[in-house]
Amino acid sequence: MAWFHLARVKVNWTALLILAHFTYLLIGAVIFQILEREAESNNRNHFQLEKLHFLANYTCLDGPALEKFVQVILYAWEKGVNPSGNSTNPSNWDFSSSFFFAGTVVTTIGYGNLSPSTVSGQVFCVFYALCGIPLNLAFLKQMGKCLTIHLGRLETGMVAVVPHKKAVEALAVSLFFITGSLLFLVIPPLLFSYVEGWTFGEAFYFAFITLSTIGFGDYVVGTDPGKEYISLYRCLAGIWIIFALAWLALILNMGVRIMENLVILTHPGFKKHKEEDEDVSSSKLEVTSKI
């Protein structure tokens, strides 16, 4: 009877999670469609009007010639070449930009605005990612452990001031979250908005989309041909990404633990089932090690 109850809790929780996940996707799809579809239609119509005005002003061109020129521009953009400006634009593959690109590969951000165009570069990118992604995960895991140790020391130091353990944990996590948010989600967007000429909202959007490894590529630092950047600008941005990802990973782990605690409070049988799963896993590991 107890086993049936635990199985029912497990099935109900799994079904609820699946339902919540796909419901969340459906809600997002509907809202994005409502917010973006009309703007896309307006932009498309505006572009068509601009083409008609261009043809009216330059009668030496015809429609097919303009379409061919547009294809050339799109091809250049796909190859990572900014069609505005001239051949004196800064290289996309100087050391700073290459370092930034390497960081986006191993972190799986992949903005999509720049990619290897040579066969040798594409082959190297595959093997570089195969080795770099596990290395980056190991690095983030180790950084998470270090941050957890510092968080534990912070809690230990605060116990002498606040005797209540739960209050100390909540206060330490809050300080950790606020400090990390300032270092990784507030100050960098302020700098990006100043250097790139973005609004703070656009810079914060870029920071979040980057650190969540979504990486749309609509906003990327250091790509404006009309600006002169310091040589290490994109290198520093790459280093910011690495350490901010470690902080964000720890925050997400804390969020998962909070959700698990909430589930245990609402479904007491879930804790027992989880402990049984952990015991089974540890037993399997012991058997495997003996073999």
Side-chain angles (χ1 to χ4, degrees):
M1 192 70 180
W3 177 87
F4 177 75
H5 177 70
L6 290 174
R8 188 178 65 181
V9 169
K10 181 181 178 182
V11 171
N12 289 344
W13 172 244
T14 303
L16 180 63
L17 195 59
I18 292 173
L19 180 63
H21 183 66
F22 282 96
T23 302
Y24 193 74
L25 292 176
L26 290 172
I27 292 173
V30 171
I31 293 176
F32 282 128
Q33 184 180 24
I34 293 172
L35 294 176
E36 298 295 332
R37 192 167 187 176
E38 184 178 355
E40 179 199 29
S41 178
N42 293 336
N43 290 333
R44 185 180 287 117
N45 293 334
H46 177 73
F47 179 67
Q48 294 299 326
L49 287 173
E50 288 294 326
K51 286 201 297 185
L52 292 175
H53 291 158
F54 186 83
L55 289 172
N57 292 329
Y58 299 91
T59 54
C60 58
L61 285 175
D62 57 6
L66 180 60
E67 291 296 330
K68 186 176 181 179
F69 183 64
V70 170
Q71 291 298 322
V72 171
I73 293 176
L74 290 175
Y75 179 79
W77 184 261
E78 290 173 358
K79 295 300 180 182
V81 178
N82 195 317
S84 62
N86 51 44
S87 59
T88 61
N89 286 344
S91 171
N92 287 322
W93 293 106
D94 57 13
F95 176 78
S96 182
S97 298
S98 299
F99 182 88
F100 183 77
F101 174 77
T104 63
V105 170
V106 299
T107 56
T108 68
I109 295 173
Y111 290 113
N113 67 312
L114 185 63
S115 59
S117 59
T118 63
V119 175
S120 57
Q122 292 168 353
V123 171
F124 174 75
C125 186
V126 170
F127 288 100
Y128 184 76
L130 284 174
C131 299
I133 292 172
L135 177 63
N136 181 66
L137 291 175
F139 171 79
L140 293 180
K141 183 179 180 180
Q142 187 61 34
M143 288 296 299
K145 288 181 179 179
C146 293
L147 291 174
T148 303
I149 291 172
H150 287 294
L151 181 60
R153 290 175 179 173
L154 178 62
E155 292 178 357
T156 303
M158 294 175 63
V159 167
V161 181
V162 182
H164 300 287
K165 186 176 179 182
K166 292 292 183 182
V168 167
E169 288 180 356
L171 186 59
V173 170
S174 299
L175 287 174
F176 183 78
F177 177 78
I178 293 171
T179 304
S181 298
L182 287 173
L183 288 176
F184 300 121
L185 287 177
V186 176
I187 296 176
L190 285 172
L191 296 175
F192 292 145
S193 62
Y194 173 76
V195 175
E196 302 289 343
W198 299 337
T199 64
F200 178 78
E202 291 171 334
F204 182 84
Y205 166 80
F206 160 76
F208 181 81
I209 293 299
T210 295
L211 298 183
S212 59
T213 69
I214 297 172
F216 289 125
D218 48 353
Y219 290 90
V220 183
V221 295
T223 57
D224 189 345
K227 295 183 180 295
E228 294 184 3
Y229 301 100
I230 61 174
S231 58
L232 295 178
Y233 175 60
R234 299 192 88 186
C235 284
L236 295 174
I239 294 172
W240 160 73
I241 289 173
I242 296 295
F243 285 97
L245 279 175
W247 168 79
L248 187 62
L250 184 59
I251 292 297
L252 293 177
N253 286 335
M254 289 180 180
V256 171
R257 284 193 314 193
I258 291 172
M259 288 184 64
E260 287 182 350
N261 291 332
L262 289 175
V263 171
I264 290 171
L265 288 174
T266 54
H267 298 82
F270 181 79
K271 181 178 181 180
K272 185 177 179 182
H273 180 74
K274 184 181 177 183
E275 291 174 350
E276 289 180 352
D277 284 346
E278 290 175 351
D279 292 339
V280 170
S281 299
S282 60
S283 300
K284 288 181 179 179
L285 287 174
E286 289 177 1
V287 171
T288 304
S289 62
K290 289 180 181 178
I291 294 173

